[in-house]
mmCIF file of all heavy atoms in Angstrom:
data_model
loop_
_atom_site.group_PDB
_atom_site.id
_atom_site.type_symbol
_atom_site.label_atom_id
_atom_site.label_comp_id
_atom_site.label_asym_id
_atom_site.label_seq_id
_atom_site.Cartn_x
_atom_site.Cartn_y
_atom_site.Cartn_z
ATOM 1 N N GLY J 1 -84.892 25.105 17.104
ATOM 2 C CA GLY J 1 -84.849 23.761 17.691
ATOM 3 C C GLY J 1 -83.432 23.256 17.875
ATOM 4 O O GLY J 1 -83.071 22.743 18.942
ATOM 5 N N TRP J 2 -82.608 23.372 16.832
ATOM 6 C CA TRP J 2 -81.220 22.934 16.940
ATOM 7 C C TRP J 2 -80.465 23.748 17.987
ATOM 8 O O TRP J 2 -79.664 23.205 18.748
ATOM 9 C CB TRP J 2 -80.513 23.040 15.589
ATOM 10 C CG TRP J 2 -80.730 21.861 14.707
ATOM 11 C CD1 TRP J 2 -81.401 21.847 13.531
ATOM 12 C CD2 TRP J 2 -80.284 20.527 14.932
ATOM 13 N NE1 TRP J 2 -81.415 20.588 13.007
ATOM 14 C CE2 TRP J 2 -80.719 19.752 13.853
ATOM 15 C CE3 TRP J 2 -79.563 19.900 15.939
ATOM 16 C CZ2 TRP J 2 -80.465 18.397 13.749
ATOM 17 C CZ3 TRP J 2 -79.303 18.547 15.833
ATOM 18 C CH2 TRP J 2 -79.749 17.814 14.761
ATOM 19 N N LEU J 3 -80.720 25.037 18.038
ATOM 20 C CA LEU J 3 -80.035 25.887 19.005
ATOM 21 C C LEU J 3 -80.404 25.512 20.437
ATOM 22 O O LEU J 3 -79.527 25.406 21.298
ATOM 23 C CB LEU J 3 -80.362 27.354 18.719
ATOM 24 C CG LEU J 3 -79.474 28.392 19.370
ATOM 25 C CD1 LEU J 3 -78.032 28.191 18.937
ATOM 26 C CD2 LEU J 3 -79.938 29.775 19.019
ATOM 27 N N VAL J 4 -81.684 25.288 20.691
ATOM 28 C CA VAL J 4 -82.112 24.874 22.035
ATOM 29 C C VAL J 4 -81.508 23.518 22.372
ATOM 30 O O VAL J 4 -81.021 23.307 23.499
ATOM 31 C CB VAL J 4 -83.655 24.837 22.124
ATOM 32 C CG1 VAL J 4 -84.123 24.108 23.370
ATOM 33 C CG2 VAL J 4 -84.207 26.246 22.087
ATOM 34 N N PHE J 5 -81.493 22.595 21.427
ATOM 35 C CA PHE J 5 -80.937 21.263 21.657
ATOM 36 C C PHE J 5 -79.444 21.345 21.965
ATOM 37 O O PHE J 5 -78.954 20.690 22.879
ATOM 38 C CB PHE J 5 -81.203 20.390 20.433
ATOM 39 C CG PHE J 5 -80.860 18.934 20.611
ATOM 40 C CD1 PHE J 5 -81.145 18.266 21.786
ATOM 41 C CD2 PHE J 5 -80.264 18.231 19.581
ATOM 42 C CE1 PHE J 5 -80.840 16.920 21.942
ATOM 43 C CE2 PHE J 5 -79.947 16.898 19.727
ATOM 44 C CZ PHE J 5 -80.239 16.235 20.917
ATOM 45 N N VAL J 6 -78.728 22.166 21.221
ATOM 46 C CA VAL J 6 -77.277 22.281 21.420
ATOM 47 C C VAL J 6 -76.954 22.997 22.738
ATOM 48 O O VAL J 6 -75.973 22.651 23.401
ATOM 49 C CB VAL J 6 -76.638 23.008 20.211
ATOM 50 C CG1 VAL J 6 -75.229 23.463 20.499
ATOM 51 C CG2 VAL J 6 -76.635 22.103 18.994
ATOM 52 N N ILE J 7 -77.784 23.954 23.133
ATOM 53 C CA ILE J 7 -77.519 24.674 24.379
ATOM 54 C C ILE J 7 -77.980 23.874 25.594
ATOM 55 O O ILE J 7 -77.289 23.821 26.615
ATOM 56 C CB ILE J 7 -78.166 26.071 24.343
ATOM 57 C CG1 ILE J 7 -77.422 26.935 23.330
ATOM 58 C CG2 ILE J 7 -78.160 26.726 25.719
ATOM 59 C CD1 ILE J 7 -78.029 28.286 23.097
ATOM 60 N N ALA J 8 -79.154 23.210 25.494
ATOM 61 C CA ALA J 8 -79.698 22.469 26.642
ATOM 62 C C ALA J 8 -78.900 21.200 26.930
ATOM 63 O O ALA J 8 -78.607 20.887 28.087
ATOM 64 C CB ALA J 8 -81.163 22.131 26.397
ATOM 65 N N LEU J 9 -78.574 20.468 25.905
ATOM 66 C CA LEU J 9 -77.789 19.234 26.049
ATOM 67 C C LEU J 9 -76.572 19.348 25.144
ATOM 68 O O LEU J 9 -76.523 18.763 24.054
ATOM 69 C CB LEU J 9 -78.629 18.014 25.644
ATOM 70 C CG LEU J 9 -79.893 17.775 26.451
ATOM 71 C CD1 LEU J 9 -80.764 16.748 25.771
ATOM 72 C CD2 LEU J 9 -79.539 17.343 27.852
ATOM 73 N N PRO J 10 -75.566 20.093 25.561
ATOM 74 C CA PRO J 10 -74.481 20.451 24.635
ATOM 75 C C PRO J 10 -73.741 19.262 24.037
ATOM 76 O O PRO J 10 -73.540 19.224 22.826
ATOM 77 C CB PRO J 10 -73.555 21.322 25.468
ATOM 78 C CG PRO J 10 -74.050 21.313 26.844
ATOM 79 C CD PRO J 10 -75.374 20.659 26.873
ATOM 80 N N TYR J 11 -73.318 18.317 24.837
ATOM 81 C CA TYR J 11 -72.539 17.207 24.282
ATOM 82 C C TYR J 11 -73.380 16.355 23.347
ATOM 83 O O TYR J 11 -72.977 16.056 22.224
ATOM 84 C CB TYR J 11 -71.949 16.339 25.405
ATOM 85 C CG TYR J 11 -70.956 17.092 26.249
ATOM 86 C CD1 TYR J 11 -71.251 17.447 27.563
ATOM 87 C CD2 TYR J 11 -69.732 17.462 25.729
ATOM 88 C CE1 TYR J 11 -70.344 18.154 28.327
ATOM 89 C CE2 TYR J 11 -68.816 18.172 26.486
ATOM 90 C CZ TYR J 11 -69.124 18.511 27.787
ATOM 91 O OH TYR J 11 -68.239 19.210 28.532
ATOM 92 N N LEU J 12 -74.565 15.984 23.788
ATOM 93 C CA LEU J 12 -75.454 15.179 22.960
ATOM 94 C C LEU J 12 -75.933 15.976 21.748
ATOM 95 O O LEU J 12 -75.984 15.450 20.630
ATOM 96 C CB LEU J 12 -76.651 14.691 23.782
ATOM 97 C CG LEU J 12 -77.642 13.791 23.055
ATOM 98 C CD1 LEU J 12 -76.944 12.501 22.630
ATOM 99 C CD2 LEU J 12 -78.834 13.509 23.932
ATOM 100 N N GLY J 13 -76.255 17.259 21.955
ATOM 101 C CA GLY J 13 -76.740 18.092 20.863
ATOM 102 C C GLY J 13 -75.713 18.252 19.750
ATOM 103 O O GLY J 13 -76.031 18.119 18.572
ATOM 104 N N VAL J 14 -74.469 18.513 20.121
ATOM 105 C CA VAL J 14 -73.415 18.674 19.116
ATOM 106 C C VAL J 14 -73.147 17.355 18.410
ATOM 107 O O VAL J 14 -72.983 17.310 17.186
ATOM 108 C CB VAL J 14 -72.134 19.248 19.753
ATOM 109 C CG1 VAL J 14 -70.952 19.132 18.814
ATOM 110 C CG2 VAL J 14 -72.352 20.692 20.148
ATOM 111 N N LEU J 15 -73.118 16.264 19.169
ATOM 112 C CA LEU J 15 -72.888 14.952 18.562
ATOM 113 C C LEU J 15 -73.992 14.601 17.572
ATOM 114 O O LEU J 15 -73.714 14.173 16.451
ATOM 115 C CB LEU J 15 -72.782 13.885 19.654
ATOM 116 C CG LEU J 15 -72.503 12.471 19.164
ATOM 117 C CD1 LEU J 15 -71.117 12.406 18.534
ATOM 118 C CD2 LEU J 15 -72.606 11.480 20.304
ATOM 119 N N VAL J 16 -75.250 14.806 17.952
ATOM 120 C CA VAL J 16 -76.371 14.510 17.053
ATOM 121 C C VAL J 16 -76.331 15.430 15.832
ATOM 122 O O VAL J 16 -76.578 14.987 14.704
ATOM 123 C CB VAL J 16 -77.715 14.622 17.803
ATOM 124 C CG1 VAL J 16 -78.890 14.561 16.845
ATOM 125 C CG2 VAL J 16 -77.830 13.522 18.847
ATOM 126 N N TYR J 17 -76.007 16.705 16.037
ATOM 127 C CA TYR J 17 -75.927 17.638 14.914
ATOM 128 C C TYR J 17 -74.850 17.203 13.922
ATOM 129 O O TYR J 17 -75.064 17.228 12.713
ATOM 130 C CB TYR J 17 -75.636 19.058 15.406
ATOM 131 C CG TYR J 17 -75.708 20.088 14.315
ATOM 132 C CD1 TYR J 17 -76.916 20.661 13.957
ATOM 133 C CD2 TYR J 17 -74.573 20.482 13.609
ATOM 134 C CE1 TYR J 17 -77.001 21.595 12.945
ATOM 135 C CE2 TYR J 17 -74.636 21.411 12.603
ATOM 136 C CZ TYR J 17 -75.856 21.970 12.275
ATOM 137 O OH TYR J 17 -75.931 22.891 11.258
ATOM 138 N N LEU J 18 -73.696 16.800 14.435
ATOM 139 C CA LEU J 18 -72.610 16.380 13.543
ATOM 140 C C LEU J 18 -72.974 15.115 12.779
ATOM 141 O O LEU J 18 -72.617 14.967 11.610
ATOM 142 C CB LEU J 18 -71.326 16.179 14.336
ATOM 143 C CG LEU J 18 -70.673 17.454 14.864
ATOM 144 C CD1 LEU J 18 -69.467 17.105 15.716
ATOM 145 C CD2 LEU J 18 -70.285 18.378 13.730
ATOM 146 N N VAL J 19 -73.673 14.208 13.421
ATOM 147 C CA VAL J 19 -74.086 12.982 12.731
ATOM 148 C C VAL J 19 -75.159 13.293 11.699
ATOM 149 O O VAL J 19 -75.103 12.817 10.565
ATOM 150 C CB VAL J 19 -74.575 11.928 13.753
ATOM 151 C CG1 VAL J 19 -75.248 10.772 13.050
ATOM 152 C CG2 VAL J 19 -73.416 11.432 14.605
ATOM 153 N N ALA J 20 -76.146 14.110 12.077
ATOM 154 C CA ALA J 20 -77.280 14.370 11.193
ATOM 155 C C ALA J 20 -76.935 15.343 10.066
ATOM 156 O O ALA J 20 -77.421 15.178 8.943
ATOM 157 C CB ALA J 20 -78.448 14.928 12.008
ATOM 158 N N ARG J 21 -76.140 16.345 10.339
ATOM 159 C CA ARG J 21 -75.920 17.402 9.359
ATOM 160 C C ARG J 21 -74.450 17.675 9.079
ATOM 161 O O ARG J 21 -74.104 18.701 8.508
ATOM 162 C CB ARG J 21 -76.598 18.679 9.839
ATOM 163 C CG ARG J 21 -78.103 18.502 10.039
ATOM 164 C CD ARG J 21 -78.766 19.751 10.518
ATOM 165 N NE ARG J 21 -78.461 20.914 9.732
ATOM 166 C CZ ARG J 21 -79.129 21.298 8.648
ATOM 167 N NH1 ARG J 21 -80.124 20.595 8.213
ATOM 168 N NH2 ARG J 21 -78.786 22.398 8.018
ATOM 169 N N GLY J 22 -73.571 16.781 9.456
ATOM 170 C CA GLY J 22 -72.136 16.993 9.287
ATOM 171 C C GLY J 22 -71.700 17.132 7.848
ATOM 172 O O GLY J 22 -70.859 17.975 7.521
ATOM 173 N N LYS J 23 -72.253 16.305 6.955
ATOM 174 C CA LYS J 23 -71.862 16.381 5.547
ATOM 175 C C LYS J 23 -72.284 17.713 4.935
ATOM 176 O O LYS J 23 -71.512 18.355 4.224
ATOM 177 C CB LYS J 23 -72.484 15.230 4.774
ATOM 178 C CG LYS J 23 -72.059 15.185 3.321
ATOM 179 C CD LYS J 23 -72.635 13.999 2.605
ATOM 180 C CE LYS J 23 -72.171 13.979 1.169
ATOM 181 N NZ LYS J 23 -72.795 12.911 0.412
ATOM 182 N N GLY J 24 -73.491 18.139 5.230
ATOM 183 C CA GLY J 24 -73.968 19.420 4.733
ATOM 184 C C GLY J 24 -73.166 20.581 5.306
ATOM 185 O O GLY J 24 -72.991 21.609 4.659
ATOM 186 N N MET J 25 -72.661 20.390 6.515
ATOM 187 C CA MET J 25 -71.855 21.418 7.166
ATOM 188 C C MET J 25 -70.591 21.681 6.356
ATOM 189 O O MET J 25 -70.231 22.835 6.102
ATOM 190 C CB MET J 25 -71.509 20.934 8.573
ATOM 191 C CG MET J 25 -71.028 21.938 9.515
ATOM 192 S SD MET J 25 -70.916 21.135 11.132
ATOM 193 C CE MET J 25 -70.014 22.355 12.012
ATOM 194 N N SER J 26 -69.929 20.641 5.923
ATOM 195 C CA SER J 26 -68.707 20.818 5.137
ATOM 196 C C SER J 26 -69.019 21.388 3.753
ATOM 197 O O SER J 26 -68.256 22.199 3.227
ATOM 198 C CB SER J 26 -67.956 19.500 5.014
ATOM 199 O OG SER J 26 -68.716 18.567 4.274
ATOM 200 N N GLU J 27 -70.140 20.987 3.154
ATOM 201 C CA GLU J 27 -70.518 21.522 1.851
ATOM 202 C C GLU J 27 -70.832 23.017 1.928
ATOM 203 O O GLU J 27 -70.447 23.789 1.053
ATOM 204 C CB GLU J 27 -71.723 20.765 1.295
ATOM 205 C CG GLU J 27 -71.403 19.336 0.908
ATOM 206 C CD GLU J 27 -72.644 18.521 0.591
ATOM 207 O OE1 GLU J 27 -73.772 19.043 0.762
ATOM 208 O OE2 GLU J 27 -72.485 17.368 0.185
ATOM 209 N N ARG J 28 -71.532 23.420 2.987
ATOM 210 C CA ARG J 28 -71.833 24.843 3.157
ATOM 211 C C ARG J 28 -70.562 25.650 3.367
ATOM 212 O O ARG J 28 -70.417 26.746 2.843
ATOM 213 C CB ARG J 28 -72.799 25.046 4.331
ATOM 214 C CG ARG J 28 -74.224 24.683 4.007
ATOM 215 C CD ARG J 28 -75.152 25.014 5.149
ATOM 216 N NE ARG J 28 -74.926 24.169 6.318
ATOM 217 C CZ ARG J 28 -75.419 22.951 6.481
ATOM 218 N NH1 ARG J 28 -76.152 22.416 5.520
ATOM 219 N NH2 ARG J 28 -75.193 22.262 7.575
ATOM 220 N N GLU J 29 -69.629 25.115 4.132
ATOM 221 C CA GLU J 29 -68.368 25.813 4.374
ATOM 222 C C GLU J 29 -67.555 25.931 3.082
ATOM 223 O O GLU J 29 -66.966 26.971 2.798
ATOM 224 C CB GLU J 29 -67.557 25.079 5.439
ATOM 225 C CG GLU J 29 -66.275 25.757 5.812
ATOM 226 C CD GLU J 29 -66.475 27.106 6.489
ATOM 227 O OE1 GLU J 29 -67.528 27.317 7.110
ATOM 228 O OE2 GLU J 29 -65.581 27.956 6.374
ATOM 229 N N THR J 30 -67.544 24.868 2.286
ATOM 230 C CA THR J 30 -66.833 24.890 0.999
ATOM 231 C C THR J 30 -67.462 25.899 0.057
ATOM 232 O O THR J 30 -66.757 26.660 -0.605
ATOM 233 C CB THR J 30 -66.854 23.490 0.360
ATOM 234 O OG1 THR J 30 -66.279 22.560 1.265
ATOM 235 C CG2 THR J 30 -66.105 23.467 -0.944
ATOM 236 N N ARG J 31 -68.798 25.919 0.001
ATOM 237 C CA ARG J 31 -69.498 26.866 -0.867
ATOM 238 C C ARG J 31 -69.233 28.309 -0.435
ATOM 239 O O ARG J 31 -69.004 29.186 -1.257
ATOM 240 C CB ARG J 31 -70.993 26.568 -0.835
ATOM 241 C CG ARG J 31 -71.811 27.319 -1.838
ATOM 242 C CD ARG J 31 -73.239 26.861 -1.816
ATOM 243 N NE ARG J 31 -73.363 25.852 -0.764
ATOM 244 C CZ ARG J 31 -74.479 25.305 -0.349
ATOM 245 N NH1 ARG J 31 -75.590 25.642 -0.873
ATOM 246 N NH2 ARG J 31 -74.505 24.406 0.609
ATOM 247 N N ARG J 32 -69.231 28.562 0.878
ATOM 248 C CA ARG J 32 -68.956 29.902 1.389
ATOM 249 C C ARG J 32 -67.528 30.329 1.047
ATOM 250 O O ARG J 32 -67.292 31.452 0.603
ATOM 251 C CB ARG J 32 -69.168 29.957 2.901
ATOM 252 C CG ARG J 32 -69.020 31.359 3.478
ATOM 253 C CD ARG J 32 -69.051 31.348 4.979
ATOM 254 N NE ARG J 32 -67.922 30.633 5.564
ATOM 255 C CZ ARG J 32 -66.711 31.133 5.706
ATOM 256 N NH1 ARG J 32 -66.439 32.333 5.295
ATOM 257 N NH2 ARG J 32 -65.744 30.415 6.251
ATOM 258 N N ALA J 33 -66.572 29.424 1.216
ATOM 259 C CA ALA J 33 -65.174 29.742 0.898
ATOM 260 C C ALA J 33 -65.008 30.008 -0.588
ATOM 261 O O ALA J 33 -64.272 30.926 -0.988
ATOM 262 C CB ALA J 33 -64.266 28.607 1.349
ATOM 263 N N ARG J 34 -65.681 29.218 -1.433
ATOM 264 C CA ARG J 34 -65.587 29.413 -2.876
ATOM 265 C C ARG J 34 -66.178 30.765 -3.276
ATOM 266 O O ARG J 34 -65.612 31.484 -4.099
ATOM 267 C CB ARG J 34 -66.312 28.288 -3.611
ATOM 268 C CG ARG J 34 -66.126 28.344 -5.116
ATOM 269 C CD ARG J 34 -66.826 27.207 -5.861
ATOM 270 N NE ARG J 34 -66.500 25.915 -5.313
ATOM 271 C CZ ARG J 34 -67.416 25.066 -4.821
ATOM 272 N NH1 ARG J 34 -68.690 25.394 -4.811
ATOM 273 N NH2 ARG J 34 -67.047 23.890 -4.347
ATOM 274 N N THR J 35 -67.311 31.137 -2.679
ATOM 275 C CA THR J 35 -67.945 32.416 -2.982
ATOM 276 C C THR J 35 -67.040 33.574 -2.579
ATOM 277 O O THR J 35 -66.885 34.538 -3.341
ATOM 278 C CB THR J 35 -69.299 32.526 -2.253
ATOM 279 O OG1 THR J 35 -70.109 31.422 -2.636
ATOM 280 C CG2 THR J 35 -70.003 33.813 -2.590
ATOM 281 N N GLU J 36 -66.442 33.474 -1.396
ATOM 282 C CA GLU J 36 -65.530 34.528 -0.956
ATOM 283 C C GLU J 36 -64.304 34.614 -1.852
ATOM 284 O O GLU J 36 -63.823 35.707 -2.155
ATOM 285 C CB GLU J 36 -65.108 34.293 0.490
ATOM 286 C CG GLU J 36 -66.179 34.598 1.495
ATOM 287 C CD GLU J 36 -65.724 34.391 2.921
ATOM 288 O OE1 GLU J 36 -64.536 34.055 3.139
ATOM 289 O OE2 GLU J 36 -66.560 34.538 3.826
ATOM 290 N N ARG J 37 -63.789 33.468 -2.288
ATOM 291 C CA ARG J 37 -62.620 33.460 -3.166
ATOM 292 C C ARG J 37 -62.945 34.087 -4.515
ATOM 293 O O ARG J 37 -62.142 34.861 -5.062
ATOM 294 C CB ARG J 37 -62.133 32.009 -3.347
ATOM 295 C CG ARG J 37 -60.951 31.862 -4.255
ATOM 296 C CD ARG J 37 -59.764 32.562 -3.683
ATOM 297 N NE ARG J 37 -58.665 32.521 -4.611
ATOM 298 C CZ ARG J 37 -57.427 32.690 -4.286
ATOM 299 N NH1 ARG J 37 -57.107 32.921 -3.037
ATOM 300 N NH2 ARG J 37 -56.495 32.649 -5.179
ATOM 301 N N GLU J 38 -64.122 33.759 -5.058
ATOM 302 C CA GLU J 38 -64.519 34.343 -6.334
ATOM 303 C C GLU J 38 -64.698 35.856 -6.217
ATOM 304 O O GLU J 38 -64.304 36.605 -7.116
ATOM 305 C CB GLU J 38 -65.800 33.691 -6.839
ATOM 306 C CG GLU J 38 -65.602 32.269 -7.319
ATOM 307 C CD GLU J 38 -66.908 31.549 -7.605
ATOM 308 O OE1 GLU J 38 -67.989 32.157 -7.405
ATOM 309 O OE2 GLU J 38 -66.847 30.389 -8.021
ATOM 310 N N ALA J 39 -65.278 36.310 -5.107
ATOM 311 C CA ALA J 39 -65.444 37.749 -4.905
ATOM 312 C C ALA J 39 -64.082 38.428 -4.790
ATOM 313 O O ALA J 39 -63.872 39.519 -5.346
ATOM 314 C CB ALA J 39 -66.272 38.012 -3.651
ATOM 315 N N PHE J 40 -63.152 37.799 -4.089
ATOM 316 C CA PHE J 40 -61.805 38.356 -3.960
ATOM 317 C C PHE J 40 -61.098 38.407 -5.310
ATOM 318 O O PHE J 40 -60.485 39.416 -5.656
ATOM 319 C CB PHE J 40 -60.996 37.522 -2.969
ATOM 320 C CG PHE J 40 -59.594 38.001 -2.781
ATOM 321 C CD1 PHE J 40 -59.332 39.148 -2.052
ATOM 322 C CD2 PHE J 40 -58.529 37.307 -3.334
ATOM 323 C CE1 PHE J 40 -58.031 39.602 -1.883
ATOM 324 C CE2 PHE J 40 -57.239 37.750 -3.176
ATOM 325 C CZ PHE J 40 -56.985 38.899 -2.440
ATOM 326 N N ASP J 41 -61.191 37.309 -6.081
ATOM 327 C CA ASP J 41 -60.557 37.287 -7.402
ATOM 328 C C ASP J 41 -61.154 38.340 -8.328
ATOM 329 O O ASP J 41 -60.428 38.988 -9.092
ATOM 330 C CB ASP J 41 -60.697 35.897 -8.030
ATOM 331 C CG ASP J 41 -59.834 34.857 -7.339
ATOM 332 O OD1 ASP J 41 -58.931 35.252 -6.572
ATOM 333 O OD2 ASP J 41 -60.080 33.647 -7.555
ATOM 334 N N THR J 42 -62.470 38.509 -8.267
ATOM 335 C CA THR J 42 -63.119 39.532 -9.085
ATOM 336 C C THR J 42 -62.639 40.914 -8.699
ATOM 337 O O THR J 42 -62.348 41.750 -9.559
ATOM 338 C CB THR J 42 -64.648 39.441 -8.925
ATOM 339 O OG1 THR J 42 -65.071 38.137 -9.309
ATOM 340 C CG2 THR J 42 -65.352 40.479 -9.774
ATOM 341 N N TYR J 43 -62.526 41.154 -7.402
ATOM 342 C CA TYR J 43 -62.033 42.453 -6.929
ATOM 343 C C TYR J 43 -60.610 42.705 -7.421
ATOM 344 O O TYR J 43 -60.294 43.803 -7.894
ATOM 345 C CB TYR J 43 -62.081 42.499 -5.407
ATOM 346 C CG TYR J 43 -61.397 43.706 -4.831
ATOM 347 C CD1 TYR J 43 -61.982 44.958 -4.886
ATOM 348 C CD2 TYR J 43 -60.134 43.594 -4.251
ATOM 349 C CE1 TYR J 43 -61.344 46.071 -4.364
ATOM 350 C CE2 TYR J 43 -59.489 44.696 -3.734
ATOM 351 C CZ TYR J 43 -60.096 45.930 -3.798
ATOM 352 O OH TYR J 43 -59.457 47.025 -3.294
ATOM 353 N N ILE J 44 -59.754 41.690 -7.318
ATOM 354 C CA ILE J 44 -58.365 41.841 -7.769
ATOM 355 C C ILE J 44 -58.314 42.105 -9.267
ATOM 356 O O ILE J 44 -57.586 42.982 -9.732
ATOM 357 C CB ILE J 44 -57.530 40.586 -7.414
ATOM 358 C CG1 ILE J 44 -57.377 40.453 -5.910
ATOM 359 C CG2 ILE J 44 -56.176 40.613 -8.088
ATOM 360 C CD1 ILE J 44 -56.620 41.581 -5.256
ATOM 361 N N ARG J 45 -59.105 41.355 -10.043
ATOM 362 C CA ARG J 45 -59.109 41.554 -11.494
ATOM 363 C C ARG J 45 -59.566 42.957 -11.864
ATOM 364 O O ARG J 45 -59.007 43.597 -12.754
ATOM 365 C CB ARG J 45 -60.021 40.524 -12.172
ATOM 366 C CG ARG J 45 -59.271 39.337 -12.685
ATOM 367 C CD ARG J 45 -60.150 38.418 -13.503
ATOM 368 N NE ARG J 45 -60.340 37.202 -12.734
ATOM 369 C CZ ARG J 45 -61.454 36.843 -12.114
ATOM 370 N NH1 ARG J 45 -62.528 37.571 -12.195
ATOM 371 N NH2 ARG J 45 -61.516 35.734 -11.430
ATOM 372 N N GLU J 46 -60.601 43.457 -11.170
ATOM 373 C CA GLU J 46 -61.108 44.783 -11.488
ATOM 374 C C GLU J 46 -60.146 45.879 -11.040
ATOM 375 O O GLU J 46 -60.025 46.907 -11.689
ATOM 376 C CB GLU J 46 -62.467 45.003 -10.813
ATOM 377 C CG GLU J 46 -63.577 44.180 -11.420
ATOM 378 C CD GLU J 46 -64.873 44.297 -10.634
ATOM 379 O OE1 GLU J 46 -64.879 44.953 -9.572
ATOM 380 O OE2 GLU J 46 -65.866 43.717 -11.081
#
């Protein structure tokens, strides 16, 4: 649904997505970066 909305009405779709899910977007990105950093640190330690 989000993909069709963003592709069919790109400007409105992206704007609505950022308003509705923008906070979660930054949290997911932070969590992904933290996971990658921990994996990298573990690799370096080992």
Side-chain angles (χ1 to χ4, degrees):
W2 276 114
L3 196 59
V4 167
F5 188 41
V6 166
I7 291 174
L9 299 168
Y11 296 110
L12 182 63
V14 167
L15 182 66
V16 170
Y17 187 85
L18 289 176
V19 169
R21 301 180 51 88
K23 184 177 181 185
M25 196 173 168
S26 65
E27 291 170 355
R28 284 185 292 278
E29 183 65 26
T30 303
R31 189 175 2 173
R32 185 188 65 80
R34 186 179 309 121
T35 303
E36 286 181 3
R37 179 64 185 200
E38 288 171 359
F40 179 74
D41 289 345
T42 302
Y43 171 75
I44 293 297
R45 264 187 250 107
E46 290 173 356

